[in-house]
Amino acid sequence: MKYFKLLFLCVFSLLINCKSTKTISSTQIIESTESSIILDIKAVNPEYVAVHQLLFRGFPNSNQTNPLISTSEIEIQKQFPTYFKDFFQGNRYKSFITSSTKNSNGSHRIVINLKAIRLDLEQNSIIRKFGY
């Protein structure tokens, strides 16, 4: 009986410590203009989440409802692997973050320079200029 209790405690402690955790980010649009977007994001890596969502998802209820890159995320990353490797893994995306500060509630206020990131995508032939 003693061994069953010990076994039960071991299994129970393993189950508690091995539970899966889901990373959920919450995003709130603070201000959106043609040149920048200000967000409050609660996530593990808020700058990455903000730029990734801007490029491939867009932000509802803002000036940027459509993603900057309209092509499938997988397709465009296969087409331009060196650009996206440098952009995300080389932390180049951080050069388009104008400001990133931590709020008292644990979220981060992030300002993204839309003009600069759009120009960079155009210059690297990831997207085309509007109307061309």
Side-chain angles (χ1 to χ4, degrees):
M1 184 70 174
K2 192 184 219 182
Y3 292 110
F4 287 117
K5 286 181 183 179
L6 183 61
L7 180 63
F8 175 76
L9 286 174
C10 289
V11 170
F12 183 73
S13 66
L14 281 174
L15 289 175
I16 289 174
N17 291 329
C18 293
K19 69 179 181 177
S20 65
T21 57
K22 294 183 180 179
T23 304
I24 299 173
S25 66
S26 66
T27 305
Q28 181 182 5
I29 310 300
I30 303 301
E31 186 180 338
S32 177
T33 66
E34 289 296 317
S35 61
S36 67
I37 188 163
I38 302 172
L39 312 160
D40 273 351
I41 295 186
K42 196 168 197 174
V44 175
N45 191 347
E47 291 93 358
Y48 177 90
V49 170
V51 172
H52 191 271
Q53 185 168 344
L54 174 66
L55 293 179
F56 299 111
R57 308 279 181 274
F59 294 105
N61 304 320
S62 73
N63 287 348
Q64 199 59 51
T65 56
N66 294 324
L68 286 177
I69 301 173
S70 58
T71 310
S72 159
E73 178 180 348
I74 295 169
E75 286 178 30
I76 199 77
Q77 287 183 351
K78 283 182 183 177
Q79 193 175 359
F80 300 98
T82 54
Y83 176 83
F84 286 104
K85 183 177 181 182
D86 180 48
F87 191 82
F88 287 116
Q89 293 176 3
N91 292 329
R92 203 167 144 265
Y93 67 91
K94 290 184 178 184
S95 65
F96 302 103
I97 305 290
T98 307
S99 169
S100 178
T101 56
K102 191 168 186 174
N103 297 329
S104 60
N105 66 355
S107 68
H108 286 77
R109 171 118 348 143
I110 297 173
V111 181
I112 302 174
N113 186 337
L114 289 175
K115 281 187 174 183
I117 198 167
R118 189 178 288 119
L119 182 63
D120 184 68
L121 292 169
E122 289 170 358
Q123 288 175 345
N124 286 285
S125 301
I126 308 297
I127 62 172
R128 293 185 296 161
K129 287 186 179 183
F130 182 73
Y132 296 100

